[in-house]
């Protein structure tokens, strides 16, 4: 290949120019490959944290696999057997390294040219992510952040490299040479450190993502049995048709996620066991096959987070498939004096649930299914608890591994010593979803809509008031069950002007929700959801 004039050869006649050019091109390519690799690794690690079921690499890989004609796939499988995926991923990594090397060389020629190539690389990742079924906002952020990080690293490496080149060091011949030597040394050190960090990060990402991928595959292969008792049918009219309402049953991918897990636990369904221990006559060990062979029931239950502020969205409604907790406890036979079940997850997180809530007639479940699918990894695969009427922090243990029958006097759940109450019944509450606060609407009959919940008691009525005037009844849609939220709507005549609108729910025992505004700690927020509406003439 011919040396080009602008490649480190800006001072013709200076000795060592050709050598510097070669030094430059080779190390520019290396810088680019390292920067692209770093972007990839950052993307995979970040995805592991905020978007476990969809990373840029798996998205691009998935999109490519979907795009490849079936014949080619069969050919690849016949050629590489079960190693086809490994070969495919290795091929993708080679292409990424080659594109990175090119970006490195371009960046040396013209500042930002290589960064632009890495940007395009990020856009390819983003496009792939946007086409995948598991798409979430977090998943779309990952390729952008990764590409930005890669581009910054490339720019930085490339500037360090420049400082090691003849043109980069001015001054007398001697001092320039010393500066160049120092510059090269710095560059090589920085490059080696980046490459090392990328390699270590890559190994971590590969092991971690590999485990998650294996569990994802196991999850996809799992077929859940049909329930012996189906969820009650959703009554006609339960879902209010008003633009801007949330779906009555929350799709899995839109379901709020709250947990302390930095890394989503990957539990192998093959080796998963649940132990029932503590104050019981009979300790029990149960694997997933045992659990799936029981007669499972399916129920709609609305779960909520104690940290949900008034008007907040840390609440969701799903159809859960599982085995009633009371049945496993009936086999274990709790001893007299026990009043709490401390459920523990694989990562050590715990929740303390009153024993009576797990043994009464409500359908507290060892849940394996969510809206017809096995639990998503981030929602507790393979098994979690779902308890109607209690906040998640005292009941909804994900990645469940142990039920320890004990006493409130002897044990505490994870959040109790951290400023939260040991009991967490969900407080009756309501929310206005339509119109959104601050929204402009037209004068006349303004349509309002939203949800109200009082799990396991049920909602009796929902009312609205305008500018603290008299309460007016909203039309309450039929609920799916006492354990779910109810939708409501109301049309209110409003002349042009600005209004404050509030909502209040009353449960089926006639108990209205608490008016006093209280924060989420220690046992759940109270107060009326209040919105501002601007009515146009
Ligand atoms: N293992 C584990 N389970 C957990 C938690 C947790 O931090 N770790 N958080 C709980 C809390 S506070 C809530 S509100 C619910 C949320 O469940 P979701 O993420 O499926 O919506 O999970 C509960 N189960
Ligand atoms: Mo929560």
């Amino acid at each position: 290949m011919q040396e080009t004039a602008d490649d480190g050869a800006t001072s013709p006649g200076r000795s060592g120019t050709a050598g510097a050019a070669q030094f430059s091109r080779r190390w520019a390519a290396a810088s680019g490959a390292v920067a692209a690799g770093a972007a990839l690794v950052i993307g995979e690690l970040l995805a592991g944290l905020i978007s476990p079921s969809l990373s840029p690499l798996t998205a691009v890989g998935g999109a490519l696999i979907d795009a490849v004609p079936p014949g080619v796939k069969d050919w690849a499988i016949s050629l590489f057997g079960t190693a086809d995926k490994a070969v495919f991923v290795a091929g993708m990594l080679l292409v990424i390294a080659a594109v990175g090397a090119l970006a490195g060389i371009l960046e040396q020629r013209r500042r930002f040219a290589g960064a632009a190539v890495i940007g395009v690389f990020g856009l390819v990742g983003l496009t792939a992510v946007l086409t995948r079924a598991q798409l979430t906002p977090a998943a779309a952020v990952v390729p952008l952040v990764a590409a930005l990080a890669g581009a910054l690293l490339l720019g930085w490496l490339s500037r360090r490299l420049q400082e090691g080149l003849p043109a980069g060091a001015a001054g007398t011949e001697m001092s320039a040479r010393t500066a160049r030597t120092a510059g090269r040394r710095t560059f090589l050190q920085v490059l080696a450190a980046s490459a090392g960090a990328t390699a270590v990060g890559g190994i971590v990402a590969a092991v971690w993502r590999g485990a998650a991928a294996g569990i994802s595959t196991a999850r996809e292969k799992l077929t859940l049995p049909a329930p012996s008792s189906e969820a009650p049918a959703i009554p006609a009219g339960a879902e209010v048709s008003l633009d801007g309402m949330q779906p009555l049953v929350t799709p899995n991918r839109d379901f709020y996620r709250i947990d302390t897990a930095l890394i989503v636990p990957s539990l192998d369904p093959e080796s998963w066991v649940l132990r029932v221990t503590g104050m019981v006559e009979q300790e029990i060990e149960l694997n997933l096959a045992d659990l799936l062979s029981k007669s499972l029931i399916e129920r709609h239950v609305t779960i909520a987070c104690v940290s949900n502020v008034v008007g907040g969205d840390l609440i969701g409604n799903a159809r859960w498939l599982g085995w009633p907790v009371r049945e496993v406890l009936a086999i274990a036979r709790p001893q007299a004096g026990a009043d709490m079940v401390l459920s523990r997850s694989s990562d050590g997180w715990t929740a303390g649930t009153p024993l009576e809530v797990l043994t009464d007639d409500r359908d507290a479940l060892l849940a394996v299914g969510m809206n017809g699918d096995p639990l998503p990894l981030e929602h507790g695969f393979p098994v979690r608890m779902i308890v109607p009427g209690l906040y998640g922090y005292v009941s909804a243990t994900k990645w469940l591994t142990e039920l320890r029958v004990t006493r409130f006097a002897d044990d505490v759940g994870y959040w109790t010593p951290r400023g939260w109450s040991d009991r967490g019944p969900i407080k009756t509450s309501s929310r206005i979803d339509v119109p959104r606060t601050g929204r402009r609407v037209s004068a006349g009959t303004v349509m309002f809509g939203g949800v109200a919940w009082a799990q396991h008691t049920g909602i009796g009525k929902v009312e609205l008031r305008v500018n603290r005037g008299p309460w007016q009844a909203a039309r309450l849609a039929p609920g799916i069950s006492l354990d779910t939220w109810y939708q409501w709507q109301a049309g209110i005549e409003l002349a042009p002007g600005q209004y404050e609108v509030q909502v209040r729910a009353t449960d089926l025992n006639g108990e209205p929700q608490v008016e006093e505004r209280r924060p989420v700690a220690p046992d759940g927020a109270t107060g009326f959801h209040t919105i501002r509406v601007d009515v146009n003439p």
Side-chain angles (χ1 to χ4, degrees):
M1 200 194 287
Q2 212 189 318
E3 300 293 349
T4 47
D6 59 344
D7 202 353
T10 40
S11 314
R14 187 166 289 199
S15 63
T17 295
Q22 231 173 23
F23 176 84
S24 162
R25 173 146 340 114
R26 200 174 316 124
W27 292 110
S31 304
V34 166
L40 177 71
V41 165
I42 289 168
E44 293 308 290
L45 290 174
L46 185 62
L49 293 178
I50 67 174
S51 166
S53 37
L54 184 61
S55 77
L57 187 69
T58 53
V60 171
L64 285 176
I65 288 171
D66 290 353
V68 159
V72 177
K73 254 177 259 183
D74 295 344
W75 169 79
I77 292 171
S78 69
L79 196 60
F80 302 116
T82 49
D84 63 335
K85 285 207 182 56
V87 170
F88 178 68
V89 171
M92 278 174 68
L93 295 181
L94 277 181
V95 169
I96 289 166
V99 172
L102 180 70
I105 291 170
L106 288 176
E107 182 76 16
Q108 270 313 69
R109 303 230 167 134
R110 183 188 294 256
R111 206 165 162 199
F112 300 126
V117 171
I118 297 208
V120 168
F121 179 73
L123 288 181
V124 170
L126 176 65
T127 310
V129 163
L130 292 177
T131 62
R132 309 311 290 167
Q134 306 97 314
L135 174 68
T136 58
V141 168
V142 173
L144 300 177
V145 173
L148 182 66
L152 288 174
L153 179 60
L154 178 58
W156 192 56
L157 283 172
S158 157
R159 255 162 291 136
R160 293 295 86 72
L161 175 57
Q162 218 102 58
E163 286 162 9
L165 294 180
T172 65
E173 182 75 17
M174 267 316 283
S175 71
R177 188 165 296 157
T178 325
R180 282 203 300 276
T181 313
R184 282 187 194 195
R185 192 177 310 123
T186 312
F187 165 74
L188 290 174
Q189 281 168 350
V190 165
L191 183 70
S194 313
T198 300
V200 171
I203 291 167
V204 170
V207 170
W208 174 17
R209 306 276 332 160
I215 301 308
S216 288
T217 312
R219 174 182 174 271
E220 272 151 34
K221 286 204 185 118
L222 189 69
T223 32
L224 297 175
S228 65
S229 158
E230 281 180 20
I234 296 180
E239 188 141 29
V240 165
S241 54
L242 242 181
D243 256 5
M245 291 286 283
Q246 305 246 321
L248 183 62
V249 179
T250 316
N252 290 355
R253 63 173 167 157
D254 297 336
F255 211 92
Y256 81 95
R257 176 187 162 200
I258 293 286
D259 51 62
T260 59
L262 192 56
I263 293 173
V264 172
S266 302
L267 271 63
D268 181 359
E270 287 291 320
S271 56
W272 177 87
V273 284
L274 174 69
R275 291 191 176 81
V276 185
T277 63
M279 299 172 65
V280 292
E281 296 302 332
Q282 164 87 60
E283 296 211 336
I284 297 177
E285 235 186 73
L286 189 86
N287 64 27
L288 194 62
D290 299 332
L291 180 58
L292 295 181
S293 72
K294 307 294 181 191
S295 74
L296 307 185
I297 67 174
E298 204 165 33
R299 296 289 181 264
H300 286 97
V301 178
T302 300
I303 65 168
C305 184
V306 69
S307 299
N308 193 32
V309 296
V310 172
D313 58 6
L314 298 182
I315 177 166
N317 182 40
R319 179 164 47 88
W320 308 97
L321 173 74
W323 193 37
V325 182
R326 61 172 180 269
E327 295 194 20
V328 72
L329 289 176
I331 299 171
R333 284 174 287 134
Q335 292 164 355
D339 62 1
M340 183 231 253
V341 173
L342 191 75
S343 52
R344 181 182 300 274
S345 72
S346 65
D347 63 356
W349 187 89
T350 52
T353 311
L355 182 61
E356 77 215 27
V357 170
L358 299 177
T359 46
D360 68 13
D361 64 349
R362 85 185 69 195
D363 296 316
L365 298 177
L366 299 174
V368 291
M370 182 177 184
N371 292 325
D373 284 326
L375 294 177
L377 266 47
E378 45 275 59
H379 292 291
F381 182 80
V383 181
R384 74 175 303 171
M385 291 231 297
I386 288 294
V387 182
L390 301 188
Y391 287 122
Y393 84 107
V394 288
S395 70
T397 305
K398 305 191 273 190
W399 315 291
L400 181 69
T401 56
E402 186 189 358
L403 296 178
R404 184 182 161 73
V405 179
T406 175
R407 305 189 310 163
F408 277 98
D410 300 337
D411 270 307
V412 287
Y414 180 88
W415 283 113
T416 300
R418 295 172 170 81
W420 299 83
S421 164
D422 59 354
R423 311 288 169 133
I426 295 179
K427 292 175 177 167
T428 300
S429 195
S430 52
R431 189 178 77 194
I432 305 172
D433 290 332
V434 180
R436 289 251 163 257
T437 188
R439 190 56 60 83
R440 302 195 151 271
V441 296
S442 309
T445 307
V446 178
M447 289 308 299
F448 291 83
V451 283
W453 58 93
Q455 284 90 326
H456 211 59
T457 308
I459 291 292
K461 67 176 174 187
V462 172
E463 299 156 297
L464 295 182
R465 71 177 175 190
V466 179
N467 292 345
R468 314 263 164 157
W471 288 106
Q472 317 177 35
R475 190 142 64 82
L476 185 63
I480 304 175
S481 78
L482 301 181
D483 297 332
T484 63
W485 58 15
Y486 294 54
Q487 294 194 344
W488 57 265
Q489 63 179 318
I492 298 183
E493 284 308 312
L494 291 177
Q498 235 190 39
Y499 300 91
E500 177 207 82
V501 180
Q502 292 183 302
V503 65
R504 168 176 85 170
T506 300
D507 72 16
L508 273 172
N509 295 334
E511 202 61 54
Q513 76 177 80
V514 174
E515 172 164 15
E516 190 199 338
R517 286 198 147 269
R518 287 218 257 114
V520 293
D523 63 357
T526 59
F528 298 148
H529 187 209
T530 305
I531 67 164
R532 196 172 52 79
V533 185
D534 293 321
V535 180
N536 286 338

